[in-house]
Amino acid sequence: MDVQAVSALLAALVILAIGASVVLRNRSDRTYTSFAAFAFMVSAWHLCNFVAMATDSALAGWLALWPAATIPPTAIAFFRAFLAQPSIGGRHRPPRVTLAWTFVAYLGLIYSAVFDPIHHELWFAVPFGAYVFGGLYRCVYDMYVQYRATVKRVERTRVRYLALGGFVAITLALTDVLPRFGVAWPTLGNVLSILYLYFLSQTLFRYRLLDINELVGKMAVLGTLVLLLWAVYGLLLAWIGGGQEGLYLLNAIVASFVILILFEPVRARLENGVNRWLVRQRTELRGRIDRVRRDLGNVVDVPDMVAKIITAFEESRRATDGAVYLIDPDGAGFDRAGWFGRAPDDRIDAGSARAFLDAVRAGHVDVEVLRRELGDTTGTGAPAGAPADAERRATVEAVIAMAERLHADLVFPLLGTGETEQGPWLLGLLAVGDDRADGAFDLDDIDSFRQLAAQAARVIESSQAYERVKERDRLAALGEMAAGLAHEIRNPLGAIKGAAQLLIGPDGKPMPPSPEIAEMVQVIVEEANRLNNVVTRFLDYTRADRAERLDQVTVDVNAVVKKTVSLLQQAPEARGAEITVKLDDMLPPVVGDPEALVQVFLNLGLNAIQAMPQGGTLDILTTRRRRSRLGYGQFAEVRFRDTGVGIARDKIMKLFIPFFTTKARGSGLGLAISQRIVSQHGGTIEVRSTPGQGSTFSVFLPTRPQPAQAAQAAAIPSPDDEVELTPPPPPAV
Ligand code: ADP
């Protein structure tokens, strides 16, 4: 018996075992059954070949061509079913065209048996071979196409390994025909087809990239040992010879000794290397989650946090689905705040999902553990249908059903530090799933996720605290504003009342007309006008909120500044102050209302001049900026720096509150209105001041349009070496 025959028998048996092991695992899965069909065809082909070679039977040679003709459609059917799996996402297409060719091949074989044995002819064998190998290469091509189309990294890697391996295996199998044409070539095809089919069967069960890497490592160990054994055995055969049975046995024994002695060190060395490589991959993945966790330390914004977590999960490639849910304001349920993979429910109702939420709150939900528990409750010694058992079963089933709706294998609680009657305060949920495998996450993963969930809960809590502070500030600002408004109204009212009282004589009758009385009437009219003024300006301020009042034209900020300066120079107070102007010629234009901006700049300029009653310098400067308190972006900054009295630390936070003023005849609306206008341009005003030395007011205007609400971010404080700078947003009126 020659090597070809023995290796064919070996391939037939091993591949049969591989196919059987797959179909025994799961007989209802299309991918598994079609793999088995493919493997059985390859096995049958090898088996018939073996019989043909061993017995020189023409019938077996002819029979071998039947499975050979059936390999292409079964292979294509398998690979298409495999690539159409949801995780890979290929289209499902049946191998119709190939079936037509298969039919032709069958007809040829029947013709060959009935009429004329054409299967020995080269003109038949070559197209037949082209059909078989063409079909196999077609599978590689399908994989290549899917590799290009697959987005998920883990699946891409998997498909790439398979496509490459397939190409090599098919090509080497093709070279097996070379010896028939007299070319000296080792028969590698059989060995490789075994290895490839084994690899293929394993990728059906192992889904994670990590496992595939592990598999590649094991294959490396196995392959090296096989080669080693082969070399030792080959050497012995060549040296001692194997003709007689005794020598044959001796060779086998010596080779076994050598292998057993070398096995341990070789395996240890190889596995060590592979493990180091795997550990690096693993730490890389864990590092990613840890990085996000650290990142979250600097995040106050909850949507920002959710986005970071979702991206990290998606990029970690450890999960195919993930979602973050956050408790809604009235605590009646949890709203989906972010997700990736398949869309989960957009809301979890606290009432109907009570069992689920309790289970999550109590630690975390692990669907695999629960499924195992369900399996156990049926098989335990407890009498089936015992009430406690049935109740527990129902709960577990409800929890699993809810987790499935979230496409989650694991659900972690985002726990607050506060307590409620049901236990710790549940602020949200973090759901993670992997639809490629059951129990896709190990304990290390679970630990990482849990820590991430804890960190996310901290972010939510601190953001809530931050919101509360903001709300408190807003209320405080509203109070200040009301006080300012009351003051503005009470002063003229007091004057009016005083004057009116003088108009009535001690006897209760109106006083006769006189110059004093005329003066009193004059005071009443003036104060009433002032009241009217206060109300008008207040209405102006509230109206400034309406964005549509503003023009939206392209504005040259430098031109607006020049116009403001010429107006400032005409102001009577400006006489004692020196005004210097420095403009950035490259300043990009902004979009907005030039008149409204003149109002803002004039107000800042006048305030600065009024802050320098003894005279001083007002520097006005325009410049380009890459960031402001709103974040990074393109901004035009207009800066007003004075050498005036400066602003005390406790006043700085109040500057932008309507009616806040320190001036005898101030309205306290100038900065409030300016802030509104700048906000409507998507910008912000920043203030720096050192009492006794002067103040700097900077207007930042985005040179690319930004939504007006971005200005709210102005309230986020940032560390600075000068006195507290940026005021809270103006209160809603
Ligand atoms: P008004 O000028 O009518 O008082 P504003 O809203 O323009 O109203 O200003 C509010 C307060 O801010 C002023 O009363 C003043 O105390 C303070 N302020 C504004 N600009 C300056 C400045 N450049 N230097 C010192 N204080 C200032």
Side-chain angles (χ1 to χ4, degrees):
M1 222 186 288
D2 69 348
V3 191
Q4 285 251 3
V6 177
S7 77
L9 178 64
L10 190 76
L13 294 179
V14 177
I15 292 172
L16 184 73
I18 293 173
S21 81
V22 168
V23 82
L24 284 178
R25 275 194 196 228
N26 190 342
R27 255 169 294 173
S28 55
D29 189 314
R30 249 189 81 85
T31 321
Y32 283 45
T33 47
S34 59
F35 174 83
F38 170 45
F40 291 153
M41 278 311 133
V42 178
S43 168
W45 183 69
H46 282 305
L47 193 70
C48 294
N49 261 336
F50 161 73
V51 177
M53 280 183 262
T55 61
D56 249 344
S57 134
L59 177 69
W62 176 80
L63 272 179
L65 295 178
W66 283 89
T70 322
I71 286 174
T74 47
I76 293 178
F78 160 68
F79 278 105
R80 287 192 176 164
F82 176 76
L83 295 175
Q85 286 180 116
S87 59
I88 301 180
R91 272 188 311 125
H92 188 78
R93 293 165 304 163
R96 279 206 198 92
V97 183
T98 325
L99 282 178
W101 287 111
T102 312
F103 190 65
V104 172
Y106 285 168
L107 282 182
L109 290 180
I110 293 170
Y111 181 87
S112 185
V114 179
F115 304 106
D116 184 12
I118 50 170
H119 65 275
H120 292 305
E121 305 285 344
L122 206 59
W123 65 261
F124 179 85
V126 170
F128 187 85
Y131 152 73
V132 175
F133 282 93
L136 290 174
Y137 279 120
R138 170 79 220 210
C139 297
V140 175
Y141 176 73
D142 279 350
M143 280 189 273
Y144 173 73
V145 169
Q146 194 53 46
Y147 161 72
R148 300 289 304 262
T150 304
V151 194
K152 288 188 202 158
R153 284 250 290 277
V154 56
E155 299 300 353
R156 267 175 84 86
T157 315
R158 201 168 140 195
V159 177
R160 195 183 58 204
Y161 277 143
L162 287 179
L164 267 175
F167 181 77
V168 172
I170 296 166
T171 308
L172 285 179
L174 193 58
T175 61
D176 272 4
V177 298
L178 290 179
R180 296 191 190 185
F181 297 101
V183 182
W185 185 262
T187 45
L188 294 169
N190 290 345
V191 179
L192 262 172
S193 64
I194 297 177
L195 281 180
Y196 183 66
L197 282 170
Y198 176 70
F199 184 63
L200 202 55
S201 72
Q202 292 299 305
T203 65
L204 290 179
F205 315 131
R206 294 167 193 262
Y207 300 89
R208 285 193 299 165
L209 184 61
L210 203 71
D211 294 338
I212 298 218
N213 290 342
E214 209 169 330
L215 182 66
V216 172
K218 285 216 170 100
M219 298 277 287
V221 175
L222 195 74
T224 314
L225 287 173
V226 166
L227 276 180
L228 201 69
L229 183 63
W230 178 68
V232 172
Y233 202 72
L235 266 178
L236 285 173
L237 277 184
W239 187 25
I240 305 178
Q244 302 159 26
E245 204 164 303
L247 278 181
Y248 212 82
L249 256 171
L250 182 75
N251 280 345
I253 289 170
V254 175
S256 308
F257 261 115
V258 173
I259 277 301
L260 282 179
I261 293 165
L262 286 179
F263 179 73
E264 269 309 314
V266 167
R267 201 197 56 177
R269 270 194 88 87
L270 277 172
E271 279 192 351
N272 258 344
V274 168
N275 274 344
R276 261 208 306 281
W277 180 52
L278 288 176
V279 165
R280 212 183 59 225
Q281 305 254 327
R282 162 158 288 224
T283 43
E284 246 175 54
L285 293 167
R286 291 209 47 183
R288 195 182 291 268
I289 297 278
D290 286 348
R291 258 203 307 284
V292 183
R293 207 150 50 79
R294 271 202 308 280
D295 260 17
L296 291 188
N298 306 322
V299 174
V300 258
D301 184 42
V302 174
D304 191 17
M305 169 201 88
V306 173
K308 280 205 157 74
I309 293 181
I310 293 295
T311 324
F313 269 115
E314 211 166 1
E315 286 179 356
S316 80
R317 294 173 274 145
R318 298 298 288 267
T320 56
D321 304 280
V324 175
Y325 287 81
L326 298 177
I327 191 157
D328 65 9
D330 50 7
F334 294 80
D335 291 325
R336 191 179 63 193
W339 57 280
F340 76 96
R342 292 166 294 167
D345 282 8
D346 56 2
R347 192 180 150 75
I348 303 170
D349 187 59
S352 57
R354 199 182 170 124
F356 173 74
L357 293 174
D358 284 346
V360 176
R361 192 183 286 115
H364 71 268
V365 163
D366 186 332
V367 173
E368 204 203 357
V369 171
L370 292 179
R371 286 224 178 88
R372 230 179 285 145
E373 185 185 331
L374 267 194
D376 282 353
T377 49
T378 47
T380 49
D389 190 28
E391 206 174 293
R392 172 74 196 153
R393 256 193 100 76
T395 312
V396 171
E397 272 164 5
V399 174
I400 293 178
M402 190 64 223
E404 274 169 357
R405 278 169 46 192
L406 307 185
H407 306 300
D409 297 326
L410 295 168
V411 185
F412 297 89
L414 309 187
L415 291 179
T417 38
E419 285 275 331
T420 64
E421 286 159 29
Q422 294 103 31
W425 194 16
L426 193 58
L427 301 172
L429 309 169
L430 173 67
V432 197
D434 190 334
D435 68 346
R436 298 163 296 190
D438 287 339
F441 303 105
D442 62 19
L443 289 177
D444 281 350
D445 295 335
I446 291 178
D447 207 42
S448 283
F449 298 156
R450 207 204 315 257
Q451 287 176 19
L452 184 66
Q455 183 66 32
R458 293 294 81 73
V459 174
I460 297 174
E461 282 202 317
S462 55
S463 118
Q464 283 171 343
Y466 173 67
E467 286 296 325
R468 276 198 295 275
V469 170
K470 245 171 63 178
E471 178 66 10
R472 210 180 52 210
D473 282 353
R474 206 178 69 85
L475 288 176
L478 209 62
E480 288 277 348
M481 190 192 77
L485 187 62
H487 180 77
E488 287 290 310
I489 292 175
R490 215 180 247 156
N491 276 351
L493 269 185
I496 290 173
K497 189 179 173 196
Q501 273 167 346
L502 290 179
L503 294 182
I504 300 166
D507 53 356
K509 298 215 172 81
M511 295 284 280
S514 71
E516 290 84 44
I517 295 301
E519 203 181 308
M520 287 305 120
V521 172
Q522 187 59 33
V523 166
I524 292 177
V525 172
E526 268 174 21
E527 293 301 303
N529 279 342
R530 213 173 118 189
L531 261 182
N532 193 34
N533 245 336
V534 169
V535 174
T536 310
R537 279 204 306 261
F538 180 68
L539 289 179
D540 266 356
Y541 169 71
T542 57
R543 249 184 245 124
D545 208 14
R546 289 186 218 148
E548 65 269 20
R549 264 175 40 119
L550 288 182
D551 278 349
Q552 290 289 324
V553 295
T554 305
V555 183
D556 174 359
V557 178
N558 284 340
V560 176
V561 171
K562 278 185 205 149
K563 184 171 172 190
T564 311
V565 171
S566 71
L567 288 173
L568 275 178
Q569 276 159 343
Q570 288 160 26
E573 305 106 301
R575 251 167 252 145
E578 188 192 336
I579 303 178
T580 70
V581 184
K582 210 164 115 197
L583 300 178
D584 178 352
D585 293 335
M586 304 292 287
L587 202 67
V590 304
V591 173
D593 185 336
E595 287 308 314
L597 290 177
V598 167
Q599 194 188 339
V600 172
F601 298 160
L602 200 56
N603 184 50
L604 294 179
L606 280 175
N607 274 350
I609 289 168
Q610 286 164 2
M612 304 185 288
Q614 320 298 331
T617 320
L618 165 60
D619 298 318
I620 303 177
L621 166 134
T622 62
T623 161
R624 280 160 289 164
R625 286 282 166 188
R626 296 307 302 269
R627 64 161 300 169
S628 73
R629 273 168 209 281
L630 300 177
Y632 288 94
Q634 305 256 347
F635 295 93
E637 181 192 351
V638 184
R639 198 184 299 164
F640 295 80
R641 188 169 58 214
D642 65 54
T643 54
V645 292
I647 307 162
R649 178 182 271 269
D650 60 321
K651 301 267 166 25
I652 246 181
M653 296 304 278
K654 297 182 178 168
L655 289 185
F656 294 83
I657 295 173
F659 304 108
F660 172 80
T661 181
T662 57
K663 296 171 194 165
R665 297 203 65 82
S667 71
L669 282 171
L671 286 179
I673 292 179
S674 301
Q675 169 83 310
R676 278 274 162 98
I677 293 173
V678 173
S679 295
Q680 285 162 3
H681 283 79
T684 183
I685 302 179
E686 296 182 11
V687 189
R688 296 157 187 268
S689 186
T690 314
Q693 291 186 14
S695 318
T696 305
F697 283 71
S698 289
V699 178
F700 286 87
L701 296 166
T703 55
R704 290 201 191 113
Q706 276 182 7
Q709 62 266 33
Q712 293 297 326
I716 297 176
S718 81
D720 218 304
D721 45 3
E722 276 184 85
V723 180
E724 187 61 55
L725 305 176
T726 300
V733 177

